[in-house]
Amino acid sequence: MTTTQTTPIIGQATRRVTGPLKVSGQATYAAEFSKDFGPELAHGVLVTTMAASGRISSIDTEQAEAAPGVVKVFTHLNAPELPYEEPVMRPQVQPQVGDPLRPLQTDQIFFSGQTVAVVVAETLEQAEHAATLVRVTVDETAADTDLHAAHQRPEADEKQDTPRVSAPKKPAENGKMTGRPSDVTVGDPDAAFESAAHTVDLDVEIKTLVNHPIEPHATIAWWEGNTLTVHDKTQWVDNARHKLALAFGIRQEEIDLKVDALNTVKDAVEGVLGVQESSVRVITPFTGGGFGSGLRTWPHTFLTAMAARELDRPVRLVLTRAEMFTSVGHRPHNLQRVRLAADADGRLQSVIHEGWQETSLYEEYTMNLLNTTRMAYATPNLRTTYRLVPLNIQTPTSMRAPGECSGAHALEVAMDALAYEIGMDPLELRRRNNATHDVQGTPFSSKHLAEAYDLGAEKIGWADRPLAPRSMRDGDDWVGLGVSSTFYPANRMKASASARLLPDGTAQVHSAASDMGPGTYVSMTMVAADTLGLPLDKVKFALGDSDFPHAPVHGGSMTMASVGPAVKAACEAAIQAVIELAVDDDASPLAGASADDVRLEHGELIGPGGRETLMAAVARHGEPVEATASLGPNKLQALMPSDYAFHSYGCVFARVRVDARTGEPRVEKVVAVNDVGKVINPTTAASQTIGGVVMGIGMALMEEAILDPNFHRYANDTLAEYHALTNRDAPEIEAHFVGEPDYELNPLGARGVGEIATVGTSSAVVNAIYHATGARVLSLPATLDKLL
Amino acid sequence: MTPFTYHKPASVADALALLADRPGAMLLGGGTNLVDLMRKGVETPDHLVDVQDLPLGEISETDDGGLRIGALVSNTALAAHDRVRRDYRMLSEATLAGASQQLRNRATTGGNLLQRTRCYYFTEPGYPCNKREPGSGCPAKDGFNRIHAILGESDACIATHPSDMCVAMSALDAVVEITGPGGDRTVPFPDFHLLPGDTPNVETVLEPDEIITAVTLPPPSDLSRQSVYVKVRDRQSYAFALVSVAAGLALGADGQVEDVRLALGGVAHKPWRAFDAESLLRGGPASDDAFRQAGQAIVADATGYGHNDFKIPLAPRTVAVALGKALARAQRASGDAR
């Protein structure tokens, strides 16, 4: 007798299947795999530079090498030259212009905190001590980290060697303007602005934010012959595997394959070359947060693998919290100018949004800073201008809703200001400009923003809100209500999965996906169980192993929309394989039927002549039945030709209190309402939303990595001084969902939750602070000194 | 971390002997600050004397009805102690306002007095710092100085003392008990910490061969029972004070200020006992105006360095908030008494 599931699983609130492992310490994160090793595991520690610009003139390792337990000190003088092959096509997570930082392959210093040596010792303590004994002398040159001054410089012409303000040199493909074009103009925005009844013109600043997952980045690497195995904190094991292979020049035939996109490399290799085992394997079953810091494969990962190869023993390297500020990217400091114009009825006539964003001197990091502006509201005239400003900083990286989060913040603060300029309710202004298509005229696939506005307004009590700022007082506090719309592109990329049905009545489903916290484990288990008609506990989903079928990057809010359909398709293929076995099996009640006439319902195969459970057929077969499936677009869905523009939509309402005497701002309540298509798991979707709101409040009120203006180094490089929200700062947060499945995007109808959850909160909070106090905070974070 | 020898004496006498024999030795209490600084390379002691086994972990009553808080009493135990909560309310509130629960469980009373500044430039050895390396300079003055001092600072140093607990102890006229090779001595709390002057590396009157054994509190009063601690900070937990105020008021029969205690945190190199403002208030009206004027008097000679300019208006406002709360408590108490 096999167990079947007779009620739907998708859409039911379901707890994380990994929860018990996590709370009992049984979930093994990258650095914790040290438990698998004995004393052969050596420990690496980075040596970083204080200087922010120049060249290393000398590096004295004598004392460090003599220190107890030291195995080797690697510097640019003795490190092997690594191939670091260029991929056929760079993954989306890597800047398309410039070259990645290759520590120990150069004497050049681009920013303070750059790695210049790696000390490897028998124990962590010995390595840490020896690292303090390495003496680095830098022939310093003037560094520049002043975005305010630098962004006003003349733009670069192409012949200049020195870095200057410039448009991105290689904008991403932008058939639907979802890439990163430098300049987009529709209509005549300047003339419309000049002649409009109401205008606002705001300068907005968003300081550097750092991803800071609680799990620090860490790597354990070891070699067996030419085979490298790595445990690495990453959001994309497949890319880590690929980049490591390129770095060490192994499997040349594999990486030279002319394939049209990275995501098909593995399928192609394994299909065309018949390669059974990889010469690089990356295994990361658990990722303790990331928010984008784990998209790329960073220098410390290559350095750890290099040390392991040179020393012929496993090496472990864990970044310190201070190193987390300057080793794995950050949300870049940016300046924005937003001009909005509306007619007397509050209908937008012109939108002009300009952005200047820092990048490093060696790579052009681009993000979707102004994309939201090109789809958020209906306007006949629009211009967006995006400029990069190279400074002496590390290359920034994606941090939860990269670009959208910063750009939408400025737009939504400006919308609030425009409402007050007109004398109109800020929510009504948004309703009046609710768009049905993006600025290029492509219709949205499925949009229920108006319902989100209604529900959110009801939940926060918007109807009782007086329009005038500084009109709600409770004791010593000014009280205010603010609103923001929120948008995030719905993406999807090709993904693969395998499903293996076992004679014991259970199923194993695999994909090289990641779970940095959203609950990939549980949601994919749900999709598989739902498709197979099995109870959840009969399905075991595994991820985070580059030997599993390929998955796209665990970012861009597209894991559910990409891997989910692949899991579903793999399960369906396995079901089909079982059906074909059953109809050929005389012992089956389905024997002799045409496979096309058999269907699965609640875990039961039903044919014209009889029925049996799926797993009973597998049990009788006596061998596992396995199938794989791969589906989805080869490039980001947003870059594919389509009749629709795919986005998610929502709104955030915030109620704040500001102490009238000390200026202290506190968020009292947040209501977030999102239309994300089909919600697969209400529990984890709400959890993601709450987490996104918490992050957004941190961005609004306290998060900021502060660059010292003279030393060009982050001054507050600890979690004690870089303030992320604590539980005491987190208010009551309600997460609601509206909308319906978006089957135009994928067969599950799901659009992803992770990033839209964090867009909009910072602007709702700052708008609420304006309503409370009358103070319009234009430079984040809105700390109390700006409200005194 | 630089290698060091580790010692764990069982008696105060043994601890003193270890200190005497090993110049440069440092005392290890809960380790919540020292271990961090050692890992950063800010502190590089050759010897650590772990005092956690010393018999200094008790809170006991003194002969005059005050309290004697052993140097090893944890922040958590201090804040939760019945008599501290009832009789020295500002001290319980201040202690709870500091750090996080996990840190308060580890942190000791004596260690709290000796914790180092959180000045960014002190805690990263790559920067010059007169406190860490006398004569090397102070990058905070033209660096990022939002958390820095506005009172009592010097050309050499504008760092602040980070403690909340010490602000209340200063306001309560606590006394620090010290023992050393020359015997026992006591130091009034407001005199224990030093202003930076030309030697910001010297932060307290404690000699390298001495040990804090206890902090004693004078007998409680209406003022101490009705006292309050107000902390203004960037987040509601685990953030150091931008400005904090410990305040206590006692009202006369006429409703005038009979007695008052006032100390500020986050503004100076030491807990800033506002003796002059107390004098201004004593015998005067217990009014918001008077409170604000007292606060203004405290910052009359304050200096801002740019990012911390906001502390100059914030400090008197916070003084008024704290005194207002203390007044409400005093009035409630006298109402209850009637």
Side-chain angles (χ1 to χ4, degrees):
Chain A
M1 190 59 198
T2 57
T3 319
T4 60
Q5 177 74 23
T6 54
T7 54
I9 292 174
I10 287 180
Q12 302 302 306
T14 309
R15 288 188 182 181
R16 291 163 196 270
V17 293
T18 49
L21 289 178
K22 288 183 176 178
V23 298
S24 63
Q26 302 300 301
T28 307
Y29 294 84
E32 297 174 328
F33 280 97
S34 55
K35 68 182 174 55
D36 293 349
F37 297 86
E40 78 274 19
L41 182 66
H43 296 263
V45 166
L46 301 178
V47 178
T48 61
T49 166
M50 187 73 191
S53 180
R55 284 184 183 277
I56 301 168
S57 55
S58 72
I59 187 157
D60 177 3
T61 59
E62 199 174 328
Q63 254 192 301
E65 281 161 339
V70 171
V71 179
K72 178 140 183 162
V73 180
F74 293 96
T75 71
H76 69 289
L77 299 173
N78 67 356
E81 193 177 324
L82 295 183
Y84 284 117
E85 312 258 3
E86 180 72 11
V88 174
M89 175 178 265
R90 288 186 176 185
Q92 288 262 338
V93 298
Q94 180 183 347
Q96 302 299 307
V97 175
D99 292 310
L101 184 68
R102 301 298 185 205
L104 277 55
Q105 305 279 314
T106 174
D107 61 355
Q108 202 170 348
I109 301 300
F110 297 101
F111 60 89
S112 180
Q114 183 178 326
T115 295
V116 294
V118 181
V119 177
V120 182
E122 298 294 339
T123 71
L124 175 62
E125 291 76 11
Q126 288 168 334
E128 283 180 341
H129 173 231
T132 67
L133 302 175
V134 176
R135 296 280 167 265
V136 184
T137 312
V138 174
D139 189 4
E140 289 196 50
T141 51
D144 182 8
T145 52
D146 185 347
L147 181 62
H148 284 276
H151 95 284
Q152 293 171 336
R153 287 183 197 145
E155 295 206 5
D157 68 50
E158 299 205 353
K159 288 170 190 157
Q160 278 173 319
D161 290 336
T162 49
R164 284 288 186 76
V165 176
S166 70
K169 292 184 190 71
K170 190 177 175 188
E173 295 168 71
N174 65 83
K176 307 186 75 59
M177 290 206 269
T178 44
R180 293 121 189 176
S182 55
D183 301 280
V184 169
T185 303
V186 175
D188 188 344
D190 294 303
F193 185 85
E194 291 304 323
S195 60
H198 301 285
T199 61
V200 293
D201 182 351
L202 300 184
D203 289 308
V204 175
E205 176 176 21
I206 296 169
K207 300 278 184 57
T208 300
L209 304 177
V210 185
N211 303 48
H212 278 314
I214 284 299
E215 180 202 10
H217 278 253
T219 308
I220 296 175
W222 70 102
W223 295 75
E224 289 155 296
N226 198 32
T227 296
L228 169 65
T229 310
V230 171
H231 297 298
D232 189 42
K233 181 200 174 76
T234 177
Q235 292 168 235
W236 197 6
V237 289
D238 276 341
N239 188 52
R241 168 186 177 277
H242 189 65
K243 299 300 287 186
L244 282 161
L246 288 163
F248 290 93
I250 47 183
R251 298 207 79 100
Q252 197 64 41
E253 73 279 20
E254 175 179 332
I255 55 182
D256 277 355
L257 265 184
K258 302 293 182 215
V259 290
D260 67 338
L262 174 74
N263 67 341
T264 60
V265 164
K266 191 163 59 186
D267 296 345
V269 168
E270 284 163 6
V272 176
L273 299 181
V275 173
Q276 292 303 310
E277 66 184 9
S278 305
S279 53
V280 181
R281 185 176 176 193
V282 180
I283 306 168
T284 308
F286 291 97
T287 303
F291 316 110
S293 66
L295 299 178
R296 296 185 71 177
T297 302
W298 297 103
H300 67 273
T301 302
F302 302 114
L303 293 175
T304 308
M306 179 273 290
R309 192 181 71 174
E310 294 305 300
L311 301 173
D312 195 23
R313 61 189 286 192
V315 176
R316 175 188 196 252
L317 190 148
V318 183
L319 296 187
T320 65
R321 188 54 67 176
E323 288 162 359
M324 289 284 287
F325 279 81
T326 50
S327 306
V328 292
H330 61 270
R331 192 194 297 283
H333 185 189
N334 62 77
L335 305 172
Q336 300 176 58
R337 182 182 180 193
V338 187
R339 279 171 280 176
L340 300 180
D343 65 16
D345 293 331
R347 283 177 219 290
L348 284 172
Q349 298 304 308
S350 182
V351 174
I352 305 172
H353 194 164
E354 301 162 276
W356 294 265
Q357 171 219 304
E358 66 176 9
T359 186
S360 68
L361 294 175
Y362 52 92
E363 281 179 312
E364 280 195 354
Y365 171 73
T366 58
M367 62 183 191
N368 295 328
L369 185 65
L370 307 177
N371 293 34
T372 305
T373 301
R374 297 196 287 268
M375 55 68 62
Y377 297 108
T379 178
N381 302 289
L382 169 144
R383 184 173 69 246
T384 58
T385 312
Y386 179 42
R387 293 291 178 267
L388 299 174
V389 185
L391 297 172
N392 285 97
I393 55 159
Q394 67 170 344
T395 303
T397 201
S398 296
M399 176 168 162
R400 204 169 188 174
E404 291 86 356
C405 195
S406 302
H409 174 87
L411 176 68
E412 289 294 322
V413 169
M415 284 293 281
D416 201 66
L418 180 64
Y420 280 94
E421 169 66 26
I422 299 168
M424 176 180 283
D425 179 279
L427 180 58
E428 178 57 26
L429 178 69
R430 287 170 172 84
R431 288 187 203 272
R432 286 199 187 178
N433 291 285
N434 196 354
T436 55
H437 49 76
D438 68 16
V439 76
Q440 273 209 324
T442 311
F444 299 128
S445 56
S446 172
K447 180 177 184 182
H448 297 81
L449 181 56
E451 293 159 52
Y453 287 147
D454 291 345
L455 182 61
E458 178 201 322
K459 296 292 182 185
I460 200 80
W462 190 264
D464 299 329
R465 173 190 187 268
L467 178 62
R470 221 175 168 85
S471 55
M472 289 163 65
R473 178 84 182 221
D474 180 21
D476 295 319
D477 292 336
W478 293 111
V479 180
L481 286 177
V483 65
S484 173
S485 301
T486 160
F487 307 93
Y488 193 78
N491 256 317
R492 183 188 179 195
M493 262 183 101
K494 185 173 185 179
S496 311
S498 65
R500 187 175 159 91
L501 309 183
L502 302 173
D504 68 358
T506 64
Q508 294 172 345
V509 181
H510 292 170
S511 178
S514 297
D515 186 350
M516 63 173 154
T520 312
Y521 275 104
V522 66
S523 57
M524 296 306 155
T525 306
M526 291 169 71
V527 169
D530 199 88
T531 309
L532 296 168
L534 287 176
L536 278 175
D537 63 358
K538 296 291 181 192
V539 177
K540 177 103 178 142
F541 175 76
L543 52 70
D545 185 334
S546 64
D547 277 0
F548 289 166
H550 173 81
V553 62
H554 185 41
S557 296
M558 61 182 179
T559 295
M560 192 69 246
S562 308
V563 181
V567 165
K568 183 176 163 71
C571 290
E572 286 167 347
I575 292 165
Q576 202 53 40
V578 176
I579 290 172
E580 276 159 25
L581 288 170
V583 296
D584 278 348
D585 183 350
D586 290 342
S588 169
L590 303 167
S594 160
D596 292 345
D597 293 336
V598 181
R599 68 182 197 279
L600 184 79
E601 207 170 276
H602 302 318
E604 244 190 337
L605 296 173
I606 302 171
R611 55 172 65 193
E612 68 173 329
T613 65
L614 174 72
M615 300 311 280
V618 176
R620 194 177 53 252
H621 180 59
E623 297 281 330
V625 179
E626 183 162 2
T628 60
S630 186
L631 76 164
N634 272 340
K635 296 177 190 171
L636 282 175
Q637 176 69 50
L639 302 176
M640 303 294 283
S642 170
D643 294 337
Y644 296 101
F646 296 101
H647 296 272
S648 286
Y649 319 85
C651 53
V652 180
F653 291 82
R655 186 166 73 225
V656 304
R657 287 175 172 269
V658 179
D659 190 304
R661 302 153 312 169
T662 63
E664 287 165 284
R666 300 285 183 243
V667 180
E668 193 172 49
K669 180 171 181 173
V670 171
V671 175
V673 189
N674 287 310
D675 166 15
V676 295
K678 174 72 181 175
V679 174
I680 302 297
N681 184 352
T683 301
T684 49
S687 169
Q688 267 190 296
T689 306
I690 290 166
V693 168
V694 164
M695 204 166 192
I697 297 171
M699 174 178 169
L701 298 187
M702 59 188 75
E703 284 195 49
E704 175 185 9
I706 302 149
L707 265 174
D708 175 83
N710 303 310
F711 290 85
H712 309 284
R713 182 183 184 86
Y714 295 117
N716 58 335
D717 61 352
T718 67
L719 282 187
E721 299 296 343
Y722 177 95
H723 292 151
L725 218 67
T726 69
N727 275 332
R728 271 186 77 181
D729 300 283
E732 177 188 359
I733 300 169
E734 288 183 18
H736 301 280
F737 296 95
V738 297
E740 50 195 54
D742 190 348
Y743 294 120
E744 301 292 348
L745 182 66
N746 65 52
L748 285 171
R751 286 198 301 242
V753 184
E755 285 165 291
I756 193 168
T758 212
V759 180
T761 298
S762 60
S763 32
V765 168
V766 167
N767 291 342
I769 288 174
Y770 174 77
H771 184 236
T773 64
R776 178 73 69 194
V777 178
L778 296 175
S779 177
L780 293 185
T783 44
L784 63 94
D785 44 306
K786 295 166 185 169
L787 301 169
L788 275 176
Chain B
M1 199 182 281
T2 301
F4 54 88
T5 69
Y6 174 83
H7 311 272
K8 198 170 190 186
S11 73
V12 173
D14 287 352
L16 287 174
L18 283 162
L19 287 183
D21 290 351
R22 291 170 178 74
M26 293 187 73
L27 300 176
L28 176 70
T32 57
N33 189 202
L34 178 58
V35 172
D36 283 354
L37 293 174
M38 287 172 69
R39 295 197 66 181
K40 293 277 278 185
V42 176
E43 297 280 17
T44 54
D46 293 327
H47 312 284
L48 273 192
V49 178
D50 183 341
V51 294
Q52 290 181 94
D53 281 356
L54 303 189
L56 303 172
E58 299 295 319
I59 299 178
S60 55
E61 292 210 10
T62 58
D63 292 343
D64 60 5
L67 281 185
R68 184 172 186 279
I69 304 157
L72 291 173
V73 170
S74 75
N75 287 184
T76 297
L78 175 65
H81 191 268
D82 277 349
R83 280 211 49 203
V84 174
R85 291 173 60 190
R86 188 173 71 240
D87 290 341
Y88 307 95
R89 194 161 168 186
M90 64 161 71
L91 179 57
S92 179
E93 291 181 350
T95 306
L96 283 177
S100 65
Q101 183 65 58
Q102 293 88 340
L103 289 167
R104 291 193 296 269
N105 290 344
R106 289 288 302 167
T108 64
T109 301
N112 193 300
L113 268 63
L114 297 177
Q115 65 179 305
R116 311 298 302 274
T117 182
R118 262 58 178 189
C119 172
Y120 315 124
Y121 304 96
F122 170 73
T123 56
E124 165 52 59
Y127 296 108
C129 170
N130 288 326
K131 185 183 282 298
R132 200 169 6 81
E133 290 173 51
S136 61
C138 174
K141 285 185 295 183
D142 59 353
F144 187 75
N145 48 47
R146 185 166 180 270
I147 64 172
H148 288 76
I150 54 169
L151 294 170
E153 80 287 2
S154 70
D155 199 41
C157 182
I158 63 170
T160 55
H161 193 263
S163 173
D164 294 297
M165 190 191 87
C166 289
V167 179
M169 285 180 166
S170 183
L172 288 169
D173 285 320
V175 172
V176 185
E177 292 188 2
I178 295 168
T179 189
D184 299 343
R185 65 180 179 123
T186 60
V187 177
F189 206 96
D191 299 336
F192 180 78
H193 295 97
L194 300 171
L195 289 176
D198 295 332
T199 54
N201 52 313
V202 183
E203 296 179 346
T204 71
V205 299
L206 190 73
E207 296 294 334
D209 55 1
E210 291 182 317
I211 294 175
I212 299 169
T213 52
V215 176
T216 55
L217 301 176
S221 62
D222 287 348
L223 182 150
S224 70
R225 276 186 281 268
Q226 298 147 12
S227 63
V228 39
Y229 188 73
V230 171
K231 180 174 180 178
V232 178
R233 48 178 154 174
D234 282 327
R235 64 178 171 188
Q236 295 183 62
S237 176
Y238 194 44
F240 293 95
L242 295 167
V243 171
S244 67
V245 175
L249 273 180
L251 300 178
D254 52 0
Q256 301 283 94
V257 175
E258 187 177 273
D259 201 3
V260 58
R261 294 287 184 280
L262 203 52
L264 284 78
V267 295
H269 197 257
K270 60 183 287 187
W272 189 263
R273 179 71 183 270
F275 289 110
D276 292 345
E278 291 175 6
S279 300
L280 273 178
L281 286 163
R282 210 168 277 122
S287 68
D288 192 53
D289 270 357
F291 297 161
R292 281 175 182 273
Q293 282 168 23
Q296 284 300 338
I298 293 170
V299 296
D301 296 323
T303 310
Y305 289 82
H307 302 102
N308 69 347
D309 290 351
F310 72 96
K311 289 187 178 182
I312 299 175
L314 179 61
R317 286 171 180 231
T318 312
V319 165
V321 170
L323 285 169
K325 286 192 172 182
L327 175 63
R329 284 180 183 175
Q331 288 170 336
R332 206 175 306 131
S334 60
D336 291 348
R338 278 197 295 274

